[in-house]
């Protein structure tokens, strides 16, 4: 029993200590650069809203953080997830991609939406408003088709 109490105290101490090491925030301000996907392609407001609500938290330079991200190791997990998401696709830097890469990203994006792979289930579990309805999926896919031929 004495060892269990010692172990619990050490775990509590470790939990408190890691709270002093939050990850860097993914926030560069509300300035929209000329490289942003919304500046490159004509985009209906509905598509813009879908991208901002369902995609931008992980695939842009500005994340809307929930309160629980302040608790470590949740914040570290989320920071790693965002880093990976931005490496795959960053809508704020879409214009820096080559034309071929943009086409491939749009094609891949369409596939991910059609196959219900994006947004991730782990994300929509905590962000119910990010889940795409059939109408939203159809709208997004139609927009991708319209800009992919250019």
């Amino acid at each position: 029993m004495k060892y269990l109490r010692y172990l619990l105290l050490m775990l509590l101490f470790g939990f408190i200590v890691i709270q002093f090491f939050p990850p860097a925030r993914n926030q560069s301000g509300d300035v929209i650069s000329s490289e942003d996907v919304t500046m490159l392609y004509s985009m209906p407001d509905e598509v813009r809203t879908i991208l901002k609500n369902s995609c931008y938290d992980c695939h842009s330079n500005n994340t809307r953080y929930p309160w629980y991200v302040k608790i470590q190791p949740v914040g570290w997990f989320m920071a790693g997830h965002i880093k990976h998401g931005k490496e795959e696709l960053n809508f704020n830097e879409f214009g820096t991609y080559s034309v071929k890469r943009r086409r491939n990203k749009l094609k891949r994006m369409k596939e991910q939406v059609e196959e219900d792979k994006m947004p991730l289930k782990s994300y929509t579990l905590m962000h119910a408003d990010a889940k795409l309805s059939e109408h939203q999926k159809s709208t997004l896919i139609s927009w991708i088709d319209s800009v992919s031929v250019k």
Side-chain angles (χ1 to χ4, degrees):
M1 196 65 170
K2 182 178 175 182
Y3 293 112
L4 180 61
R5 185 182 320 168
Y6 179 74
L7 178 65
L8 289 175
L9 281 172
M10 291 303 292
L11 287 173
L12 178 63
F13 179 75
F15 180 75
I16 291 170
V17 168
I18 66 172
Q19 303 312 309
F20 291 101
F21 301 98
R25 293 258 175 160
N26 180 42
Q27 293 177 323
S28 64
D30 289 331
V31 178
I32 298 173
S33 80
S34 59
E35 305 297 342
D36 192 274
V37 69
T38 60
M39 302 300 279
L40 296 174
Y41 300 108
S42 174
M43 183 179 292
D45 287 341
E46 187 176 3
V47 172
R48 188 183 319 263
T49 300
I50 292 169
L51 291 178
K52 293 221 184 249
N53 286 341
S54 301
C55 311
Y56 267 49
D57 280 347
C58 299
H59 297 286
S60 78
N61 294 330
N62 288 297
T63 300
R64 296 171 296 154
Y65 286 99
W67 65 267
Y68 52 83
V69 78
K70 295 178 181 174
I71 301 170
Q72 308 317 319
V74 174
W76 297 339
F77 170 76
M78 187 174 249
H81 180 80
I82 291 167
K83 181 181 176 201
H84 177 72
K86 286 174 56 179
E87 287 171 356
E88 290 294 322
L89 172 65
N90 187 335
F91 287 112
N92 293 143
E93 298 173 3
F94 206 79
T96 63
Y97 301 160
S98 68
V99 173
K100 181 180 178 185
R101 189 171 182 204
R102 283 186 220 162
R103 283 190 190 132
N104 287 337
K105 293 294 180 187
L106 289 169
K107 179 182 172 189
R108 187 79 178 125
M109 194 172 132
K110 180 180 173 183
E111 291 169 358
Q112 298 275 314
V113 170
E114 285 176 334
E115 296 169 8
D116 288 326
K117 292 183 177 175
M118 284 287 166
L120 294 174
K121 300 269 186 264
S122 60
Y123 180 74
T124 58
L125 185 68
M126 298 301 286
H127 301 87
D129 62 326
K131 192 171 184 177
L132 297 175
S133 68
E134 289 301 318
H135 173 72
Q136 289 172 318
K137 286 171 41 177
S138 174
T139 301
L140 192 54
I141 289 168
S142 294
W143 174 77
I144 293 169
D145 287 340
S146 74
V147 297
S148 292
V149 293
K150 295 180 180 175

